[in-house]
């Protein structure tokens, strides 16, 4: 008992409460379907199966239930993991699935071994130094995109030729697909639901993508032996390009009140990022591979409760991290690895009360390079050709497709490049403004909302009706929402000046609430939807970024503009108008008075309609 308490204090065993009888739970329909497909392969004599279950699909629960079934048939099983924290996480899931804790043994440094127990959770690193358990009938590889390619797995395979091998992964891709492919280890694939399907069913939050703001010239980075960018070089370039400063600015701008995590290229960058965020008033901690398990869990709980808002890390949050309430992910690094990209971006997709979406802020061009999460990525057992070298690609200015650098016309949208092919030293791609990115379906929704906003203004129709129209057309599933950011600049294209504000205030006033206090906040809300909040940058679709100004929120009456009174005669009004025209004449004023003249004409037309 003393030894157990010591281990508990070190965070190495499950708290005693987990040994109590668990509350029973059942698998979801798609989880049962996936389990049945796996069993069907086994009945056909296929004993090595790769299983794809995306982030949020409940991979750990499926594994626990398969082990439960195997246990009922007196099979000895081993679950192989490669991260320390996955040992306890897996044991907890098994207990919740109804497995008696006394049936579970652990093979890992600092744990007592109980090899007589029918289920063993084994750390792959520890297993390299110890014998493989005997009599195994089932071996499950968790995070098989990593574990299957450890050298020691070859030894395990040779020593367990008669066992069934199941490899589970939410990201079954390798950066060297011609050398390291899944057909080396598996004979069939069982596919779980896609990320899009899980989003549609409400099991995952909706991702909102922000990017195209690459500050770093990635062509300067070399590729390492693992097929990905070299971390040290990447960290150096990201720090030199002031990515940590830009990340801080965007979190302040876009993530007010949200919690999230940041993936950096290296420890120095992560620590710098942590310091900048704390200095900006955003409570942040840095974690890396050397952070003890118990300390990690402590900060995960602090993040879940909102006591800290951000965890900055390198790669130690890509697997096993589970704080569903986080609602933004920052990719402050670049990768060529689809598996790593999906692991990082997918960390924020788990659902939580009062959470509908997750912002993915990409500073490394990863979305552009690898696609959005709802893209249907190829999952195969066969070797696949390496992706085309980035240096031979260019980005279409119109549709942002990545195409051949030699193309004179974009094959995707027909855009004609001025002057032929885009020169290799053109830095435009690295100077594009950082803003929200849309898939085809979301882009249709954005265009509809903006079009309706303009139409309601031009036809002088109630502005608030837009949300009802949008919901009727796009929110029939109860999961699609109109985000206010989409409406920025819909009427005036983001041009914030007194004339446009005056016109917009004229439009809003007839529909404003009668209560003065409510009216003021309602008008302010609609002005900020059109012209933006002070101090924020906005970019929607193809609109360029506009920095929101502190503008006037109250309408000037026509007589105030014409410097007369409501009871002035028509002749007095005309006289004032003529005098003001002289004041605003460019030769007299010495400045561009276009806006003043537009406002003056607006007031004059209003007075004319009233005076007849």
């Amino acid at each position: 008992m003393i030894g157990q308490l010591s281990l508990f204090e070190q965070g190495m065993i499950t708290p005693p409460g987990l040994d109590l009888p668990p509350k029973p739970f059942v698998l979801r329909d798609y989880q049962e379907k996936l389990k049945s497909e796996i069993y069907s392969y086994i009945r056909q004599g296929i004993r090595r199966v790769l299983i794809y279950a995306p982030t949020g699909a409940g991979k750990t629960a499926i594994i626990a239930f398969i082990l439960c079934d195997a246990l009922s048939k007196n099979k000895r099983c081993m679950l192989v993991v490669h991260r320390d924290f996955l040992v306890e996480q897996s044991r907890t899931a098994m207990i919740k699935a109804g497995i008696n804790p006394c049936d579970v043994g652990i093979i890992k440094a600092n744990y007592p071994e109980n090899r007589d127990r029918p289920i063993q959770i084994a750390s792959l690193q520890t297993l390299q130094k110890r014998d493989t358990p005997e009599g195994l009938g089932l071996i499950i590889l968790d995070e098989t995109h990593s574990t299957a390619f450890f050298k020691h797995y070859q030894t395990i395979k040779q020593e367990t030729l008669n066992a069934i091998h199941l490899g589970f992964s939410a990201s079954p891709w390798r950066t060297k697909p011609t050398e390291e492919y899944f057909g080396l280890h598996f004979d069939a694939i069982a596919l779980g639901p896609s990320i899009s399907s899980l989003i549609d069913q409400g099991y995952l939050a909706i991702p909102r993508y922000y990017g195209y703001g690459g500050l770093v010239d990635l062509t300067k980075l070399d590729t390492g032996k693992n097929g990905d960018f070299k971390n040290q070089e990447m960290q150096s370039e990201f720090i030199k390009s002031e990515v940590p400063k830009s990340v801080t600015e965007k979190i302040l701008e876009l993530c007010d009140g949200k919690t999230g995590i940041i993936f950096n290229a290296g420890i120095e960058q992560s620590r710098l990022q942590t310091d900048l965020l704390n200095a900006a008033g955003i409570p942040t901690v840095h974690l890396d591979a050397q952070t003890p398990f118990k300390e990690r869990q402590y900060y995960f709980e602090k993040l879940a409760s909102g006591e800290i808002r951000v965890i900055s890390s390198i790669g130690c949050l890509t697997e096993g991290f589970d704080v569903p309430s986080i609602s933004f992910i920052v990719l402050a690094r670049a990768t060529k690895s689809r598996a790593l990209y999906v692991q990082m971006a997918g960390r924020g997709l788990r659902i939580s009360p009062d959470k509908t979406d997750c912002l993915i802020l990409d500073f490394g061009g990863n979305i552009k390079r690898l696609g959005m999460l709802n893209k249907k990525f190829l999952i195969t057992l066969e070797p696949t050709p390496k992706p085309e070298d980035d240096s031979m690609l260019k980005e279409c200015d119109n549709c942002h497709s990545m195409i051949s650098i030699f193309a004179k016309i974009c094959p995707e949208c027909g855009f004609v490049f001025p002057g032929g092919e885009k020169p290799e030293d053109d830095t435009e791609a690295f100077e594009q403004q950082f803003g929200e990115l849309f898939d085809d379906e979301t882009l249709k929704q954005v265009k509809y909302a903006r079009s309706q906003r303009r139409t309601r203004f031009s036809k002088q129709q109630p502005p608030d009706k837009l949300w009802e129209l949008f919901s009727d057309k796009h929110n029939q599933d109860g999961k699609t929402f109109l985000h206010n950011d989409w409406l920025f600049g819909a009427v005036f294209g983001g041009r914030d000046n007194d004339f446009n504000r005056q016109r917009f205030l004229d439009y809003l006033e007839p529909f404003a609430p009668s209560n003065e206090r409510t009216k003021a906040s309602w008008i302010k809300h609609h002005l900020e939807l059109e012209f933006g909040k002070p101090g924020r940058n906005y970019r929607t679709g193809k609109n360029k970024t506009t920095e929101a100004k502190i503008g006037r929120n109250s309408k000037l009456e026509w007589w105030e503009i014409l410097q007369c009174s409501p009871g002035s005669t028509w002749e007095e009004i005309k006289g004032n108008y003529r005098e003001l025209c002289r004041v605003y004449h460019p030769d007299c004023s010495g400045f561009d008075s276009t806006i003043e003249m537009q406002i003056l004409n607006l007031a004059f037309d209003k007075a004319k309609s009233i005076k007849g």
Side-chain angles (χ1 to χ4, degrees):
M1 186 64 183
I2 294 175
Q4 286 184 328
L5 286 174
S6 175
L7 289 169
F8 171 61
E9 288 168 355
Q10 295 175 48
M12 292 181 174
I13 69 166
T14 304
L18 290 176
D19 288 344
L20 298 174
K23 294 181 179 179
F25 70 96
V26 295
L27 293 177
R28 298 168 182 167
D29 290 345
Y30 68 81
Q31 293 171 330
E32 282 286 0
K33 182 179 178 182
L34 182 57
K35 185 162 74 96
S36 297
E37 184 178 351
I38 296 167
Y39 290 173
S40 175
Y41 278 130
I42 294 172
R43 285 193 294 271
Q44 296 172 44
I46 299 173
R47 306 180 69 78
R48 301 181 188 274
V49 184
L50 170 67
I51 299 105
Y52 167 67
T55 298
K59 170 172 61 73
T60 306
I62 298 170
I63 291 173
F65 273 81
I66 289 175
L67 289 169
C68 201
D69 291 344
L71 191 62
S72 69
K73 297 181 179 179
N74 297 316
K75 285 187 178 293
R76 289 183 55 79
C77 314
M78 181 169 70
L79 173 64
V80 179
V81 300
H82 72 305
R83 303 282 191 202
D84 289 353
F85 59 85
L86 292 176
V87 172
E88 284 301 334
Q89 189 180 83
S90 301
R91 181 174 181 266
T92 301
M94 293 178 196
I95 295 169
K96 286 182 177 180
I99 295 175
N100 189 319
C102 295
D103 287 330
V104 182
I106 294 176
I107 302 174
K108 186 187 180 310
N110 298 319
Y111 280 79
E113 283 197 13
N114 293 283
R115 293 207 173 202
D116 57 325
R117 296 182 177 184
I119 296 176
Q120 297 291 317
I121 302 173
S123 162
L124 191 52
Q125 291 86 340
T126 301
L127 207 54
Q128 290 177 154
K129 304 169 186 176
R130 303 183 187 180
D131 294 335
T132 303
E134 297 179 355
L136 294 173
L138 172 64
I139 294 172
I140 297 180
L141 299 178
D142 195 11
E143 309 291 358
T144 196
H145 52 270
S146 294
T147 51
F149 296 93
F150 271 67
K151 185 177 180 181
H152 188 68
Y153 179 57
Q154 295 290 349
T155 302
I156 296 173
K157 280 203 303 184
Q158 290 300 316
E159 295 177 349
T160 57
L161 292 175
N162 296 323
I164 294 167
H165 288 242
L166 305 179
F168 280 80
S169 176
S171 49
W173 304 283
R174 297 289 292 177
T175 51
K176 296 190 288 185
T178 55
E179 305 164 34
E180 299 175 345
Y181 54 95
F182 290 93
L184 296 171
H185 306 295
F186 302 102
D187 301 318
I189 303 175
L191 294 176
S194 65
I195 288 178
S196 291
S197 173
L198 291 175
I199 292 172
D200 291 341
Q201 294 177 65
Y203 291 124
L204 291 181
I206 299 168
R208 292 180 66 190
Y209 305 92
Y210 290 80
Y212 289 164
L215 301 172
V216 182
D217 185 351
L218 299 176
T219 61
K220 295 180 180 179
L221 303 183
D222 292 329
T223 300
K225 293 181 180 179
N226 65 350
D228 207 351
F229 297 115
K230 290 183 176 179
N231 287 338
Q232 200 59 39
E233 281 185 7
M234 178 165 53
Q235 175 178 247
S236 176
E237 288 297 325
F238 271 65
I239 292 175
K240 186 166 65 177
S241 301
E242 297 191 323
V243 169
K245 178 183 176 184
S246 297
V247 168
T248 302
E249 292 170 351
K250 288 302 173 184
I251 289 177
L252 286 168
E253 177 187 325
L254 298 170
C255 305
D256 186 30
K258 297 178 182 287
T259 56
I261 56 177
I262 303 173
F263 292 96
N264 301 276
I267 291 179
E268 181 185 353
Q269 181 187 345
S270 180
R271 292 191 183 281
L272 173 60
Q273 185 68 72
T274 301
D275 291 342
L276 288 173
L277 287 171
N278 281 313
I282 301 174
T284 305
V285 296
H286 159 82
L287 303 181
D288 57 44
Q290 302 306 313
T291 307
F293 171 75
K294 191 174 181 180
E295 186 177 337
R296 290 191 200 191
Q297 294 301 119
Y298 171 79
Y299 284 118
F300 292 170
E301 291 171 7
K302 292 288 186 184
L303 186 66
S305 68
E307 292 181 62
I308 60 172
R309 282 190 52 201
V310 182
I311 291 178
S312 181
S313 74
I314 323 319
C316 64
L317 304 178
T318 56
E319 296 164 340
F321 173 81
D322 187 12
V323 180
S325 58
I326 62 168
S327 50
F328 71 87
I329 301 290
V330 178
L331 307 181
R333 58 156 297 158
T335 182
K336 294 183 178 181
S337 166
R338 181 171 293 128
L340 180 57
Y341 162 63
V342 170
Q343 288 162 14
M344 293 189 296
R347 293 300 94 190
L349 297 190
R350 296 184 187 277
I351 56 175
S352 179
D354 302 321
K355 171 183 171 181
T356 57
D357 57 33
C358 177
L359 310 188
I360 299 173
L361 314 184
D362 179 19
F363 292 83
N366 302 292
I367 298 168
K368 180 173 64 177
R369 186 182 311 107
L370 298 166
M372 295 182 175
L373 293 175
N374 56 1
K375 179 180 178 180
K376 292 185 177 180
F377 299 122
L378 177 65
I379 298 173
T380 177
L381 297 176
E382 304 303 320
T384 55
K386 292 183 179 179
E388 192 172 358
D389 189 346
D390 286 346
S391 64
M392 299 305 293
L393 300 176
K394 66 180 175 182
E395 180 181 331
C396 173
D397 296 331
N398 183 51
C399 70
H400 301 297
S401 297
M402 298 302 293
I403 61 176
S404 168
I405 196 171
F406 302 110
K408 296 184 177 181
I409 298 176
C410 175
E412 302 298 327
C413 69
F415 176 77
V416 180
F417 290 94
E421 66 270 15
K422 195 170 184 177
E424 287 187 80
D425 62 349
D426 189 349
T427 59
E428 181 182 346
F430 303 110
E431 297 172 350
Q432 294 185 70
Q433 298 295 337
F434 190 95
E436 185 166 4
L437 316 177
F438 306 112
D439 58 31
D440 292 342
E441 183 59 34
T442 307
L443 186 58
K444 290 178 184 177
Q445 297 167 10
V446 174
K447 288 182 175 179
Y448 172 81
R450 294 173 67 79
S451 172
Q452 285 295 317
R453 179 78 161 171
R454 286 191 295 272
T455 298
R456 303 198 73 73
F457 170 79
S458 63
K459 294 184 177 180
Q460 299 294 293
Q461 296 173 337
D464 292 345
K465 184 74 173 176
L466 169 58
W467 280 261
E468 182 181 335
L469 292 172
F470 184 91
S471 182
D472 289 344
K473 185 175 179 67
H474 295 291
N475 193 28
Q476 297 175 0
D477 58 359
K479 304 183 185 72
T480 306
F481 302 97
L482 169 55
H483 297 279
N484 288 343
D485 284 355
W486 295 354
L487 299 180
F488 168 71
V491 178
F492 299 106
R495 293 181 295 276
D496 187 3
N497 56 54
D498 285 342
F499 175 62
N500 288 340
R501 280 187 175 255
Q502 184 70 20
R503 291 176 64 197
F504 204 56
L505 285 162
D506 279 341
Y507 159 62
L508 293 174
E509 185 166 296
F511 307 111
S514 56
N515 179 281
E516 284 301 318
R517 186 170 182 178
T518 306
K519 176 180 178 180
S521 60
W522 183 87
I523 287 177
K524 180 174 181 289
H525 169 71
H526 277 285
L527 285 172
E528 288 182 346
L529 289 183
E530 177 60 32
F531 300 112
K533 293 182 180 180
R536 280 192 60 181
N537 290 327
Y538 291 79
R539 176 182 177 274
T540 301
K542 296 175 186 174
N543 286 343
K544 292 184 180 295
T545 298
T546 301
E547 185 170 350
K549 303 174 182 177
I550 300 177
R552 180 170 41 81
N553 290 344
S554 58
K555 182 172 78 73
L556 291 173
E557 299 294 346
W558 63 268
W559 63 85
E560 294 177 295
I561 297 170
L562 293 170
Q563 299 180 19
C564 58
S565 68
S568 297
T569 66
W570 180 239
E571 291 302 319
E572 290 172 333
I573 291 170
K574 287 195 296 183
N576 280 23
Y577 175 80
R578 292 175 63 189
E579 287 301 319
L580 288 168
C581 283
R582 292 188 184 98
V583 171
Y584 295 135
H585 192 284
D587 292 342
C588 299
S589 63
F591 63 90
D592 184 357
S593 55
T594 303
I595 300 299
E596 287 77 5
M597 283 303 303
Q598 288 176 323
I599 295 173
L600 193 62
N601 288 339
L602 190 68
F604 183 77
D605 289 340
K606 184 74 171 178
K608 185 176 180 181
S609 67
I610 291 173
K611 298 294 181 177

